[in-house]
Amino acid sequence: MQLLEIVLMLIIYDIYYFSYFKHMFPAKRDHLFFYAAAVFINISITLPAYLFLDHRIAVFFIMGSIMLDLILLFRVNRVQIIYAGSVYMFSIYSSRGIVCSIYSMVLHTSIQDVLQNDKYYNAVTALAVLLSILSIMFVRKIIVPDNKARHAFNNNEQLGFTVVCLISQLFFLMFINDGRFYNEIKSTWYSALYLGASIISKLCMQFVFHHTAKVVELLEYELHTRKLQEQLSRQMRHYQAYRKFTESYRIFRHDYKNMMTSVKVLMNNNEYEKAARMLDDIQDTMQREVLIHKTYSDNILLDAILQDAANACGEKSIRFSAHALLPKDVRMSELDIVRIFSNTIDNAIEACSKISDKERFIEIAGAGSREWATIEIANSFNGELSLSGGEPATTKEDKEIHGFGLRIIKDTVEGLGGLVITDPDQEKRIFKIRICIPRSSS
């Protein structure tokens, strides 16, 4: 009966635990059968480890089973896998320490006696599972909401710091737990020590995770600010280029009236050859003195971004073409335009920089339907693709700084109710990203 109750508690804990990470990581397998299989795998490893192995070794078998389940269910990297296994074990271990200590202090007996009593053991297990679930719910509602936790899970450097703290605290609690086997230690004192250590460890890890999420949030804010500063520079360059165009056109227009008057006089006097030569001179003057101002878009801000991209591509020998239509009924703020297109173009230029000059190109095309406005960006790349959680990831060494681009694009577009579709063709070495944004009229 004791074993059956433990299995039931494990099933409840596993179901809640996997449902939590289902909100955090992209699913690899989403059918209920696979979640049932994951629970079965965990129980099949946990029970033999619990029954036949030393508790110090069993801890790591249980962590390994959770890591195996995460690989089965979700698209995760190594740091995320280790975090999931560590937090699963730490949460239940620290919760059991709190419940056992309280039972020991209330009953005026040792923790070892509590754990050896079947009735007490079942109650401790049930309450430990309940406390673990409540502590995770508290973190989700108060400490680190799910939307911030997702960002923290995608930053390997900061999440790695959390993993180190988790494993350290788990070893600390395992060391404290071994004190129950020493009869020389006074049970009341030891129970109070174990209770305090478990509570402090749990609160400490909540603080560490909150700190991790806060650091990631500040880092993203810094990157967003940097993008806005870069865009301000782009707009100033665009403004300067447009001002030069208008000044040169104003000078040409000042002389144009006199020139055309002269052409008209020549034609009235039947001096057609001179008139033709003067028209040729007017054309040469216009091409020489009037700066050509290309337009790539029907949106002033987007045009500034594309103008700057064209200049950058010219410097790097990248063939650039763009014709981006952005309907006025698309509900995009200026900040949305900056976040989406600056990051997309920066990623495309970065990819083109890794291949030979002849193959480099970036093409941007816009199209629209009654319901959607679509922008497609295609660029050449070296055919090598790094994936993180099933999504293309940066190949730069400083991944924590440069890994936000595509995620910022996705978060912004999805926040507008749109879709981001990536289509990398490794054989043709062409990377396409399609951005679909709903029109307000729909």
Side-chain angles (χ1 to χ4, degrees), residues 171-225:
F171 273 111
F172 171 69
L173 289 181
M174 290 171 65
F175 175 75
I176 296 294
N177 182 52
D178 281 353
R180 75 178 194 266
F181 297 112
Y182 295 92
N183 296 325
E184 296 84 0
I185 301 176
K186 189 177 180 180
S187 61
T188 305
W189 179 86
Y190 172 73
S191 298
L193 172 67
Y194 198 9
L195 176 63
S198 299
I199 293 175
I200 291 172
S201 293
K202 194 175 280 289
L203 292 177
C204 178
M205 287 316 306
Q206 290 180 355
F207 171 78
V208 168
F209 191 46
H210 175 266
H211 173 75
T212 296
K214 196 68 177 178
V215 169
V216 172
E217 184 180 10
L218 292 173
L219 179 59
E220 292 197 7
Y221 178 79
E222 180 184 353
L223 291 173
H224 289 166
T225 303

Side-chain angles (χ1 to χ4, degrees), residues 10 26-27 62 92 101 116 145 163 170 202 215 230 243 248 256 266 277-279 287 303 325 342 361-362 375 398:
L10 277 175
I62 297 170
I92 195 72
S101 301
Q116 288 177 348
V163 168
L170 185 58
K202 194 175 280 289
V215 169
E230 291 174 359
R243 190 180 67 176
S248 62
Y256 179 76
L266 290 172
R277 285 196 299 270
M278 182 164 284
L279 287 172
Q287 292 178 345
D303 201 53
L325 296 175
S342 293
F361 77 89
I362 297 175
I375 302 289
D398 47 351

Side-chain angles (χ1 to χ4, degrees), residues 242-352:
Y242 191 77
R243 190 180 67 176
K244 290 179 181 179
F245 163 74
T246 54
E247 287 178 354
S248 62
Y249 182 75
R250 187 168 58 248
I251 293 171
F252 173 78
R253 190 178 62 179
H254 181 268
D255 295 333
Y256 179 76
K257 185 176 180 181
N258 294 331
M259 292 178 183
M260 293 308 296
T261 300
S262 300
V263 170
K264 187 176 181 180
V265 170
L266 290 172
M267 294 186 69
N268 289 335
N269 294 331
N270 297 323
E271 297 184 33
Y272 298 113
E273 291 184 4
K274 291 183 178 180
R277 285 196 299 270
M278 182 164 284
L279 287 172
D280 289 338
D281 290 341
I282 293 172
Q283 184 178 5
D284 291 341
T285 302
M286 183 181 69
Q287 292 178 345
R288 184 175 61 254
E289 297 182 1
V290 179
L291 299 176
I292 303 302
H293 183 78
K294 293 183 179 179
T295 56
Y296 297 98
S297 167
D298 55 351
N299 180 280
I300 296 175
L301 177 58
L302 179 55
D303 201 53
I305 296 173
L306 297 175
Q307 287 277 354
D308 192 69
N311 295 336
C313 289
E315 294 173 359
K316 297 177 180 292
S317 301
I318 300 172
R319 179 166 52 85
F320 180 83
S321 64
H323 183 64
L325 296 175
L326 199 61
K328 293 182 180 180
D329 58 356
V330 172
R331 291 175 293 186
M332 292 179 66
S333 67
E334 292 186 350
L335 183 59
D336 293 333
I337 294 173
V338 171
R339 285 176 172 171
I340 293 170
F341 291 99
S342 293
N343 282 288
T344 305
I345 292 170
D346 287 348
N347 289 347
I349 292 176
E350 177 190 335
C352 288

